[in-house]
Amino acid sequence: QVDLVESGGGLVQPGGSLRLSCAASGSIFSPNTMGWYRQAPGKERELVADITSGGSTNYADSVKGRFTISRDNAKNTVYLQMNNLKPEDTAIYYCTISWRSWSYFHYWGQGTQVTISS
């Protein structure tokens, strides 16, 4: 069993910044990939960014240059620094962790709301 606890969401004005955090606990396999997805109302869930245990990152084109993902392997924690936020970034943001051992495992957090509005 793996638990993911997100924090840091909220309401911010356009152009502002937020930092999301997610701590994973439980039976975690390493190496793994941690990441963030988001789902806006009426839209499909999409990958925002992910990062491997070795530090390789991947970003959605819509957030490149504005968002930065990082992690602390010792704490099994992943962060998402979001700058220059836009109204279209409004969504529920979900933390994930995944790995492949004898099978593929992918766990999700409960989600945290991010709202960009003036």
Side-chain angles (χ1 to χ4, degrees):
Q1 179 66 30
V2 174
D3 292 318
L4 297 165
V5 179
E6 301 125 330
S7 61
L11 171 65
V12 67
Q13 293 185 344
S17 297
L18 280 175
R19 188 189 193 215
L20 305 182
S21 300
C22 172
S25 61
S27 301
I28 298 168
F29 182 86
S30 185
N32 56 64
T33 297
M34 299 188 77
W36 294 91
Y37 285 70
R38 68 185 180 186
Q39 187 166 21
K43 295 188 176 181
E44 294 187 354
R45 193 172 296 190
E46 63 174 356
L47 174 69
V48 177
D50 60 25
I51 182 168
T52 67
S53 298
S56 296
T57 58
N58 177 43
Y59 293 92
D61 287 343
S62 60
V63 306
K64 284 180 180 177
R66 300 187 299 123
F67 292 10
T68 302
I69 191 169
S70 60
R71 64 184 290 167
D72 183 333
N73 289 335
K75 297 180 179 179
N76 290 317
T77 299
V78 64
Y79 308 95
L80 186 68
Q81 177 66 43
M82 305 185 292
N83 298 329
N84 190 20
L85 284 160
K86 304 175 180 181
E88 51 264 42
D89 294 317
T90 296
I92 299 175
Y93 284 69
Y94 298 91
C95 174
T96 77
I97 186 169
S98 61
W99 64 82
R100 186 174 298 279
S101 55
W102 57 270
S103 184
Y104 179 69
F105 297 88
H106 195 173
Y107 296 92
W108 295 82
Q110 294 295 313
T112 185
Q113 177 70 47
V114 171
T115 303
I116 314 305
S117 176
S118 55

